[in-house]
Amino acid sequence: MDLSTSFWLIPFYPLVSAALIGILRRGAALLAPLSVGLGFLHALAVYFLPRPARLEHRLGEWIPGASFGFLFDDLSGLLVLLVTGIGLLIHLYSLGYMGGKETFARYFGSLNLFVFFMLLLVMADNLLLLFAGWEGVGLASYLLIGFDYEKPAANQAANKAFLYNRAGDAGFLAGLFLLFAQFGTVEFAGLSNLEASPGLAAAGLLLALGASGKSAQFPLFVWLPDAMVGPTPVSALIHAATMVTAGVYLFARLAPLYSVIPEVGLVVAAFGAVTALIAATIALVDHDIKRILAYSTISQLGLMFLACGVGAPEAAMFHVATHAFFKALLFLCAGNIIHALAGEQDIRYMGGLRQSMPWTYRLMGVGALGLAGFPGLAGFFSKEAILHAAEGYPLLLALGLLVSFLTACYSARLIWRVFWGEQQQPGHDLHGWELHTLWPLAAGVIVVGYFGHLSSGPWWLLAASVFLALAGLYLGREMRVFEPLQTLFARKWFIDEIYRALWLRTIGYRGSALVAGVDEQRVGGVAGVAGLGTSLLSWVSAWVDRYLVDGLVKAIMLITQGLSYPFRLAQTGGVLQYALFALGALAASMVYLWAKQGEIR
């Protein structure tokens, strides 16, 4: 079998595994990581072996203008390697993290289903098939976020994620329909040569709305921190290189389309920069270790959106790759800490863990430095590429630099609060899969930045990046936020309250009151008229039934009674009387016969 021509089999490895685990309810510890590992090895071979720049395979035509086909090029290949490579490490980590639990098989089946849909998303050769993977990822994430469904918080978080993603997906679907209606195709090849038009701009904005839902951007980002109630390996998988990076991949795939509508790109960049700033400020004051990392992910995704919006999708994808390593490393180290502290997630009750958890301390320190953009590590190169891309937009560049500084601050705060100071709870380093799977991620944080496109920005921008990273790491250890800002950031800029006021009170309560009024005054009036007509018809029907139908039946009854009266008189019940009647009838019959015979003679 030629590995290059059979590249389209890569998504089906985890799908088959998920089906087998669901049917057999056993073998998950072998099937789940083996299937993802096979997918990774297959993708690795296809990516590095000699091949055409663009591999395509069509299984059939779905609808005119959209096939059921797969695509493998440098862009999709990078994402496939990240999804399967990082996914494999998270699967191996989960063997220890979820070991011994009754939900072991269900967990790995859902995890493999998630990987399948993510691979379908990044390997689709048109927007319609991409949307199928997009929705499948949303379904699988719902199952994983609400994995511990017996907990009310898990159910609420899963529902919240599902609903906010559906809001974004409605925009995606509307944009897809608009493109198909106006241009007759949703194939990527056909969308790369379009000319600017109002319809194309509208479709671009609608697709951006869909991307903002999946990648947790303003105004649809509030679901992601709540999704942290799921198992920690799930958080690592969602945040590292899979679900939340789908929006960035969409922009990178549609880069030729957005290049002809730069105004839409600037809107995307502005929303990304605002999201990055809001999330970074919240991460400065939050106390939940997983939620801090969640807001960090939102902030980093904002920087990626900024890069896509200013026409630098390659810088955004470079940051996707580096972010995958240090964010997966940070989440899995957080899982070690939570596991060692019997479920504790509040950093205020940690401290001093560098002594009892030295390896986790070193590994998480590497991840935090990579996130902060420490010079020489992966995050430094990809962030500098984004800032260089925004150089022509002073306001966006200033926001990017501010976010870079805040990122270093909350990274230092996290490490300082968890591992330094006075130890409040005893901890211990985990061993086995839960520790050994972290080494490849740490190695990636150190070296992967050198394999990307190194930016050639001006010296002052490079110096600013270095200075802000070092200053943030130093100041963030004991950083104090002014009280008014502390309240603003701790309340998450009152965004949840605004949403509750807007959706529940304004639209929900008043909308329900409006509907009730319409129901009472309009629909109720129509119902009253209909009820009156129904009453009249029922009265006519009752009269016909009573006097015509029942009268005819009664008349037939009376006639029958009258005709049967003489016969009823003879029905006395006496046997002797019946015998007498029989003899009389016999005698009468004989007399009649004799008389007839006499007449004949």
Side-chain angles (χ1 to χ4, degrees):
M1 180 177 67
D2 186 359
L3 293 175
S4 294
T5 56
S6 62
F7 76 93
W8 58 276
L9 292 174
I10 294 173
F12 294 100
Y13 295 130
L15 177 63
V16 172
S17 173
L20 290 175
I21 292 171
I23 294 171
L24 301 176
R25 294 291 177 179
R26 63 183 64 187
L30 175 64
L31 289 172
L34 178 63
S35 63
V36 180
L38 288 174
F40 174 71
L41 293 176
H42 195 163
L44 198 66
V46 176
Y47 192 84
F48 287 105
L49 287 177
R51 59 173 172 84
R54 184 183 178 93
L55 289 171
E56 294 184 85
H57 183 86
R58 297 197 173 190
L59 298 178
E61 189 176 48
W62 194 343
I63 62 172
S67 66
F68 197 97
F70 295 93
L71 167 68
F72 193 101
D73 57 9
D74 288 342
L75 177 58
S76 61
L78 172 64
L79 264 295
V80 170
L81 287 174
L82 288 175
V83 170
T84 54
I86 302 295
L88 174 61
L89 293 175
I90 291 173
H91 273 70
L92 294 175
Y93 179 90
S94 298
L95 292 176
Y97 194 88
M98 299 296 293
K101 296 186 179 181
E102 297 180 358
T103 55
F104 191 82
R106 177 165 64 89
Y107 171 82
F108 278 102
S110 301
L111 211 60
N112 273 23
L113 191 66
F114 184 97
V115 173
F116 160 71
F117 280 121
M118 190 64 200
L119 291 174
L120 181 66
L121 188 157
V122 300
M123 293 182 66
D125 71 347
N126 62 79
L127 276 176
L128 185 59
L129 186 58
L130 186 150
F131 184 72
W134 190 277
E135 288 296 282
V137 167
L139 169 64
S141 67
Y142 172 80
L143 298 175
L144 290 168
I145 294 169
F147 183 76
D148 298 318
Y149 56 84
E150 68 279 0
K151 299 178 181 178
N155 287 324
Q156 293 172 5
N159 290 333
K160 188 173 184 178
F162 194 80
L163 292 174
Y164 274 90
N165 272 273
R166 296 295 74 73
D169 294 348
F172 189 114
L173 201 56
L176 190 152
F177 287 156
L178 185 57
L179 285 174
F180 193 80
Q182 289 213 344
F183 307 105
T185 182
V186 289
E187 302 278 350
F188 293 135
L191 296 175
S192 61
N193 299 313
L194 300 179
E195 295 183 357
S197 67
L200 187 63
L205 285 172
L206 289 169
L207 291 174
L209 176 61
S212 70
K214 194 67 70 183
S215 292
Q217 295 296 286
F218 184 83
L220 301 176
F221 71 89
V222 295
W223 66 268
L224 189 58
D226 291 344
M228 295 301 97
V229 297
T232 300
V234 170
S235 303
L237 186 63
I238 290 176
H239 287 250
T242 53
M243 177 177 174
V244 295
T245 59
V248 183
Y249 171 76
L250 178 66
F251 284 127
R253 178 58 69 190
L254 296 179
L257 184 149
Y258 280 97
S259 65
V260 299
I261 44 175
E263 299 82 3
V264 175
L266 287 179
V267 173
V268 171
F271 273 89
V274 169
T275 305
L277 178 62
I278 291 175
T281 57
I282 298 174
L284 274 178
V285 299
D286 206 293
H287 301 296
D288 187 294
I289 188 171
K290 289 176 66 176
R291 291 176 71 90
I292 293 171
L293 296 177
Y295 282 114
S296 166
T297 297
I298 296 171
S299 182
Q300 299 307 300
L301 288 167
L303 293 178
M304 299 174 204
F305 269 56
L306 189 157
C308 290
V310 298
E314 65 284 348
M317 293 307 300
F318 186 19
H319 199 50
V320 166
T322 61
H323 179 266
F325 284 94
F326 59 69
K327 190 52 60 73
L329 179 60
L330 286 168
F331 265 109
L332 296 183
C333 285
N336 280 3
I337 296 168
I338 295 169
H339 208 161
L341 300 183
E344 181 60 67
Q345 295 185 199
D346 195 323
I347 63 174
R348 292 173 295 184
Y349 301 104
M350 300 179 187
L353 292 179
R354 73 185 188 283
Q355 299 173 356
S356 55
M357 304 182 70
W359 287 115
T360 300
Y361 165 59
R362 295 184 182 99
L363 290 166
M364 195 166 187
V366 170
L369 289 174
L371 171 62
F374 188 83
L377 297 183
F380 171 77
F381 296 108
S382 56
K383 283 185 182 179
E384 206 275 331
I386 292 175
L387 294 175
H388 176 51
E391 186 183 354
Y393 307 89
L395 181 57
L396 294 178
L397 177 60
L399 288 175
L401 290 170
L402 177 58
V403 169
S404 298
F405 172 72
L406 295 177
T407 302
C409 288
Y410 64 69
S411 299
R413 171 179 176 263
L414 177 64
I415 297 299
W416 192 260
R417 293 287 183 90
V418 173
F419 294 103
W420 291 81
E422 183 179 352
Q423 185 169 359
Q424 301 190 41
Q425 297 189 57
H428 57 88
D429 254 331
L430 303 181
H431 299 283
W433 294 115
E434 292 163 286
L435 183 64
H436 298 321
T437 52
L438 304 182
W439 296 111
L441 295 173
V445 175
I446 296 171
V447 304
V448 77
Y450 296 95
F451 292 94
H453 176 68
L454 301 182
S455 175
S456 56
W459 68 267
W460 64 267
L461 187 57
L462 184 65
S465 298
V466 173
F467 173 77
L468 290 174
L470 297 178
L473 287 170
Y474 178 76
L475 297 174
R477 297 174 304 161
E478 297 290 346
M479 190 172 186
R480 295 290 183 268
V481 180
F482 295 118
E483 186 58 36
L485 292 178
Q486 173 83 19
T487 302
L488 177 65
F489 299 161
R491 298 291 294 273
K492 305 164 195 173
W493 293 64
F494 298 96
I495 291 175
D496 282 334
E497 287 81 354
I498 293 171
Y499 282 169
R500 279 194 290 269
L502 178 63
W503 297 109
L504 294 181
R505 298 175 186 173
T506 303
I507 296 179
Y509 298 156
R510 296 191 179 184
S512 62
L514 176 62
V515 171
V518 171
D519 178 70
E520 182 179 350
Q521 299 177 12
R522 300 290 187 272
V523 180
V526 173
V529 172
L532 182 61
T534 304
S535 299
L536 179 61
L537 289 174
S538 64
W539 182 84
V540 173
S541 175
W543 188 90
V544 170
D545 181 70
R546 183 179 298 113
Y547 294 104
L548 294 183
V549 179
D550 289 355
L552 180 62
V553 172
K554 289 179 181 179
I556 295 173
M557 179 192 69
L558 291 174
I559 293 171
T560 303
Q561 286 180 341
L563 293 175
S564 65
Y565 183 73
F567 299 98
R568 285 189 288 115
L569 292 177
Q571 302 300 321
T572 62
V575 176
L576 294 177
Q577 188 176 10
Y578 291 162
L580 180 63
F581 287 157
L583 289 174
L586 179 63
S589 299
M590 294 177 66
V591 170
Y592 174 75
L593 290 174
W594 289 337
K596 291 290 284 185
Q597 289 177 356
E599 291 178 358
I600 294 173
R601 292 176 182 170

